[in-house]
Structure formats: C-alpha cells, structure tokens
Amino acid sequence: MTKVKHVKEKKNLASTSLYPEYAKFPFDEFNPPQTVILEHFDKDVNFAVAASTSAGKTICGEMFLANEIRVRGGKGMYLGTHKALVQEKLDDWTNPEHHFSDLNISICSGDYQLTDARKKELETSNLITMTSEMLSSRCRNFKSEKNNFLTEIGTIVADEGHLLGVNGRGDHLEVALMKLTEINPNIRIVLLSATMPNVSEICEWMATRLNKKETLFLNSEYRPCPLDVHYPVYDSNPWRYDMKENNKILTALDIVESYPNDKFLIFAHTKATGNKILKLLQDMGIKSEFHNADLSKEKRIKIESDFKTDKDFRCMVATSTVAWGLNLPARRVILLGVHRGLDELETYDIKQMIGRAGRPKYDKKGDAYILLPSKQKEYEHFREKIESPTNITSQLLSHHKVLGFHLVSEIYLGNIKNKEDVNVWFNRSLASHQAKELKDIVAQCIEGLLGCGAIVEEDGFYKATSIGKIASLFYYSPFDVSDLKKNFSNLFKNKLDDEDSAISIALGNVDSQRGNIVSNAEKEVMSSYCKIIQDDKSSYSYSTGALKAGYAYYNLILGNSSPIMSAVMRNLQLDFDRMIQVLQALDTMSASWDRKAWFNTLATRVRYGVPEYLIPLITIPEIGGVRARKLYSHQIRNAKDVVENQQLVRALLNMKPSAFEKVLAGAKAVQIKNMFAG
C-alpha cells in the first residue's frame, strides 16, 4: 500500500546555503516548514504543507519547482486560486532578482486567450502559472487542443489547497487533479494550504487514487508574525440592516483611530458598506482606497502597489478580492461582521482574511478584529464556529448539475459510455475517498443531461450531442448551452434580433443566472427594465435572477453605466468572448441560424459598451466608446467621415499628432476594407 507519512518540524533551522546553487534565496536561514522541505524537495514524492498564512509556503513550492526544472528536467506548474494570485507569481518570478528570472515562464488564465502563439509558448515554457479552472479546461481538451505540455509537467504546486472544499470552486480543482494525473500519472503533487484540518485524509486521496506516490505531509504551527485575534462587538439590536451596518462601521473606525501609526486592511462584505467606510475614513483625513471587483485590473494593481510602498496610505478597504494569497503589509485587519448579505461567511474565508494581518517583511506581529453581534447567543455561535476548524470536503456531489458539468465532458470524450463507467471515473475522486456515494445523484445528473439535450442514450450507452460537445469544448455549463440555443432560436424565429431588450434577456435567462440573489437596491434600478420585459407580448415569466443578468447585459449593449450593477456587468463582460464563441458554435454545429456577422457585432457592442450605431466608429483603432460618442455627436459617423474631416476630428479628439496619425491610418484602412467588402 502506498505510504502516507506525517513529518515533523525540527528545532534547528537550516542555512539556505544547504540548498543547491541553482536557487538562491534572499535570506540566510530557512524557517521551520522550509527546513523540513530541504530534506524532501528532490525526492519522488507528493508533499502537503499545512501552515498559516505568511509561513513561507511559496518558498516551499519553489524548492520543489527549482529541483524539477533544473535537475529532473521537467516543467513546473503553479496553480493559484485567482487570476490576481497567478499574475502576482508571474510578476515575482520574472523579477530580475529572482532565481527563476532566467526561465521561460508563461501564464494561462482567463485574461489570456489560448491562441496558437500562446500554445507554442506553453510548449516551450519551463514554468507555467494558471488557475485551477484553466487547468481543468486544458486537461478536458487535452487531445483536441494537443496540449502536450501537460505530459511534460514533472511537479505541480497547488496553492491554497483548501479550495477543494469551497462550493463552486472546489470541484474544478478536484477534477483538474484527477484529469492531470490520468494524463500524466508520474507527476509530483505539492499541495500548499493555510487551513487543512484533515490534511492526512487529503494526502491519502492523492497517494491511493491519483498518482500512487509516497505522500508526506507537514502540519505546522509556525507563524513568523504571531497573530492575535480579537472579537469586538457591535450593537446588533437595531432591526434595520443599514443601522447594523453603520454600527459595524463606527466600531471599526474606533479601532483605526486607536492605532494611528498602523496600516489597516478592512474587509467589507458589500460594496455599499465599503464605499461608506471609505468616505468616512477620507473625511477623517486618513489616506484610504477601496479595492474591489468594480475597478479595472490596472487600478487594483496600483492600489496594491501603493499600499506596499506609500507609508501614508494607511487603510485599504477591500472585498474578498485580496483575501486569498496576496502579500500586503497590513499590521491590522478588521472584518466588518461575519455575513455576506444574508449568508454567513465560511470559516475558510474568515481564516484567509484574518491571515492577512502581520506580514514577515513588515511587522513583528499581527492583530485581527472580527466584529461580532452583541446578542449573546449570536456572539457565542460565531466565535465557536470560527475557532473550530472545518474539514475539507469534496464539492463534486454538492448538486447534480455540478456533477453534470464534468460528466458531459467525459461522455463526449468517450471515457464514459454507461453507468458502470461513471463509477470507475468517480472512484478516483476525493468524494469517493471520503466515502460519499453516488446513489440517486447519478440518476438526477443523467436525467438532467438528457432533459437539456446535452446527451442521448441509445441501447444503454450515452453519447454527447452538439450541445454536450460545445459545453465540453468551451468549458461551459451544458444547461446554459441548452438555454442559449433555445433562447436565440426563439429570438430569431420571432424576428426580435433588433430589439436590445429581447437580446439582453436571451443572454441573461440561462440556468446559471436564474438563481442570482437580487438586493433591494438592484431591484429598484432594474424596475424600468423589468417593466419593458414584462410588457413584452411573450407570456414567459422570468426569475429575478435572470432579469438581473438581463439588465446587466442591457446596460452593456447600450453602453449605460450603473454603479450598483457595475461588478455584475464587469464579470459578464469579461466572460462574453467565451459566450459568443459558444453561440457561434451553436450556430455552426447545431442551430443553423447563419448569424456569424450578427454575433460579431453583438460581441463588439458588449466589449466596448456601445449601441449599434457606433460600431462603424469603434472599428477604427484607438477609438473607444467615449471618443466614438464625441465624434458621432458632431456628425462624424464612420471611417469615411474621419478621413474627410481630419481637422475637426483632430480638434475633437485632442490627441498628439503621432496618436492622431494612427487614428487616421486606421480609418483609411477601414475605409478601403469597406470599399472592397461593398
């Protein structure tokens, strides 16, 4: 039987000079977890490190990766939870002072299209960083995309391994590891995690079900900056939600004022609360910023950089965007309560947030303040919950649609042909290792896939339809693909393809959006849109969740701003290129709408946030939505008008001569292209 072994820390720390010369570290002595790794980084084993935030786990991963790349001759892969964390590692490792800086390092996350050039880059890379969802997708399409680089990975470092137990995310990491070790059974797995109470069970899964290697684990109590956790109370007696939020804010401000020389990271669980405390901090003369998903990637990175380098930048207010992995110099952390809307925060989220307090390079200790309600029973409930670690449990069977998302791909690939094959596939999962049984969920799953038209069953054998194939190829929910086909078939049949309200609800009324939670503020701003939809001659009744998504798409299509909906709009906009690919695949493989040009126009409108009449201007390089509107308001409607009214256009755009020449050259190129197209 494959061994699972618990290794313990030693009292004596090792010098970094004991690590081979192919990696140099910017400190003289390894810490306790890193000292343990020094004995194992060059062995053909799996390793799990369970240690607190700031315990130097990334260095542990680097020790394995450096050995893999420099000595064993394989590729290394770093798996992060979020695009921001993956990007941070890329930035760190390409820094000229880092010992990885001479390597070919690539990133593969949702911000980067998998073009032929990028695939070639992955093939020639020594070290690849990506998210677990991206790895799952690349493994799923291993053969069709010819992702041969996956077979060359010798060591994978999965950061924040407790993601396995996170609803909506954990199943992707679990299946990614199942698929990767199927493609590449000799790979070493290094799992890093801050909160993993049942680490031995996770290691048993890796050792017995994934790659059959000896698997070691370290449970470390080490934290370079001791963390003190405090539980101040706020007055939770008012029945009104806004009054409770105000009480949380006032309690937090008292804490900030008590430590005028310290940097704070304040976690707000809603945008409204975040904006409110930001304004009050700034009114108090405290330099502060609000880091949240509404901001552009560039703005978020700037805030992070300024917080690290500007000593006068005292308070960063943030949503959970900085909770996972990012290294920020916060001496103190405040959590504005333990609810996100009506839902209680998960323990792992709370642990991640408070773990941001006290960072080795900046502080000798950290303090975290978790604001709890003043009512005794609630206070005791939340404190006990926070102080009782939660085991990591598989999320694969959390819902039959989660299972369906993964099974449809296995059916399309021919790996699963019947119910017996489902059991064989499932046997390698963490869910199976944790003694969970499929039972009725497989029947629900298969029934759902048959019902949405993603698969068919013939003589007891399953076969993927075009819907199932598209879902697999584009890493998309088969239930959403089915809804999109139905919605747009109706749209084109009823000749509503020139009505923006009809287009938006066709985009929004899909399975994954129908259950969206809608706040009272969102309901208020959506009211006019809902009336437009409800006044439609169709008798169909839409859920509030679908209407919320539809309203967000409606704003994107028309280029309208909506502060309350901006985060939703940004997320939909970021994923819209993939949705268009799904729709165009449906057009060519299944529905035969013959609307390729129409979908291209729709993609442009959503990408730039402009109505259709601005498309002729948007196609000109350097002309975005704002500039297009300005030109259009002065009767400049297309490339021909730009070329024929150069003096006016230059004055309107107020650009440097060199920049304007690019616009003019682009307009001439578009004009010529249009002439030939005509």
Side-chain angles (χ1 to χ4, degrees), residues 481-513:
V481 176
S482 176
D483 285 335
L484 287 172
K485 179 179 179 181
K486 179 177 64 178
N487 294 349
F488 279 86
S489 291
N490 289 333
L491 182 86
F492 297 135
K493 178 183 176 182
N494 296 321
K495 298 181 179 179
L496 297 173
D497 49 307
D498 60 348
E499 294 190 17
D500 292 335
S501 58
I503 297 169
S504 64
I505 198 61
L507 293 168
N509 184 33
V510 294
D511 178 76
S512 63
Q513 301 291 351

Side-chain angles (χ1 to χ4, degrees), residues 198-448:
N198 56 329
V199 61
S200 61
E201 182 182 46
I202 304 302
C203 287
E204 287 169 3
W205 169 57
M206 292 193 295
T208 61
R209 314 248 177 167
L210 294 185
N211 60 5
K212 309 295 177 70
K213 289 186 184 294
E214 182 180 7
T215 301
L216 314 179
F217 69 91
L218 169 66
N219 247 329
S220 176
E221 297 296 325
Y222 170 74
R223 195 180 199 277
C225 296
L227 177 65
D228 289 336
V229 182
H230 313 273
Y231 299 93
V233 298
Y234 64 90
D235 184 2
S236 59
N237 289 303
W239 64 271
R240 280 176 46 186
Y241 171 81
D242 60 330
M243 294 177 69
K244 290 181 182 179
E245 290 299 292
N246 286 339
N247 289 341
K248 293 175 190 176
I249 290 171
L250 293 174
T251 304
L253 293 176
D254 284 342
I255 298 170
V256 172
E257 284 190 298
S258 299
Y259 302 96
N261 298 317
D262 291 345
K263 281 181 176 280
F264 279 82
L265 180 55
I266 303 174
F267 283 104
H269 309 310
T270 69
K271 290 180 292 182
T273 300
N275 284 318
K276 185 174 289 188
I277 193 169
L278 175 70
K279 184 178 185 306
L280 291 172
L281 286 166
Q282 292 175 341
D283 288 346
M284 294 163 62
I286 298 173
K287 188 171 183 178
S288 311
E289 293 279 2
F290 185 15
H291 188 292
N292 62 85
D294 287 0
L295 305 179
S296 66
K297 174 184 170 183
E298 292 72 23
K299 178 62 175 176
R300 293 197 300 271
I301 291 173
K302 186 176 187 308
I303 290 175
E304 293 160 18
S305 176
D306 290 349
F307 192 60
K308 291 176 182 178
T309 57
D310 185 348
K311 63 181 179 62
D312 296 323
F313 185 173
R314 279 196 57 218
C315 291
M316 181 193 290
V317 182
T319 55
S320 58
T321 49
V322 299
W324 291 65
L326 293 182
N327 188 16
L328 298 169
R331 170 65 179 79
R332 301 176 189 274
V333 167
I334 300 175
L335 270 65
L336 293 175
V338 288
H339 285 88
R340 186 176 286 122
L342 298 175
D343 298 326
E344 295 181 9
L345 290 176
E346 295 290 349
T347 305
Y348 55 75
D349 268 341
I350 294 172
K351 295 289 186 184
Q352 286 295 125
M353 292 177 193
I354 65 175
R356 303 302 107 196
R359 308 304 286 177
K361 292 181 181 179
Y362 309 100
D363 307 304
K364 292 182 178 179
K365 64 170 295 188
D367 286 89
Y369 305 84
I370 305 171
L371 274 54
L372 297 182
S374 57
K375 294 177 182 177
Q376 190 66 25
K377 284 187 177 180
E378 290 182 88
Y379 176 90
E380 292 173 355
H381 162 73
F382 286 114
R383 181 155 183 175
E384 181 180 355
K385 177 181 176 181
I386 293 166
E387 294 179 347
S388 302
T390 304
N391 280 346
I392 293 170
T393 58
S394 170
Q395 299 299 303
L396 190 57
L397 303 185
S398 59
H399 194 281
H400 75 271
K401 288 181 179 178
V402 172
L403 184 63
F405 176 85
H406 298 288
L407 284 191
V408 73
S409 176
E410 296 300 313
I411 293 170
Y412 163 62
L413 295 170
N415 299 329
I416 289 178
K417 298 181 177 66
N418 51 41
K419 291 180 181 178
E420 289 72 23
D421 290 344
V422 176
N423 290 323
V424 172
W425 176 84
F426 179 70
N427 188 54
R428 299 188 69 241
S429 70
L430 175 61
S432 175
H433 184 71
Q434 292 179 324
K436 292 186 177 181
E437 296 182 10
L438 286 167
K439 288 187 176 178
D440 297 337
I441 197 166
V442 170
Q444 285 182 283
C445 173
I446 297 300
E447 184 180 342

Side-chain angles (χ1 to χ4, degrees), residues 96-167:
E97 296 181 2
H98 197 281
H99 59 86
F100 283 162
S101 62
D102 65 316
L103 300 175
N104 292 326
I105 306 177
S106 294
I107 185 171
C108 189
S109 70
D111 287 339
Y112 298 85
Q113 294 291 319
L114 192 67
T115 60
D116 288 340
R118 182 156 295 277
K119 286 172 67 175
K120 186 175 180 180
E121 181 184 321
L122 294 171
E123 294 288 350
T124 58
S125 293
N126 306 113
L127 180 55
I128 300 167
T129 66
M130 61 171 60
T131 58
S132 53
E133 285 84 357
M134 184 59 70
L135 175 61
S136 184
S137 180
R138 298 288 71 81
C139 288
R140 174 182 283 195
N141 297 314
F142 168 64
K143 291 181 180 178
S144 62
E145 294 176 350
K146 298 180 180 178
N147 292 323
N148 296 324
F149 71 91
L150 293 171
T151 64
E152 299 171 4
I153 298 166
T155 299
I156 181 170
V157 174
D159 206 352
E160 310 291 0
H162 49 285
L163 181 71
L164 284 163
V166 176
N167 186 34

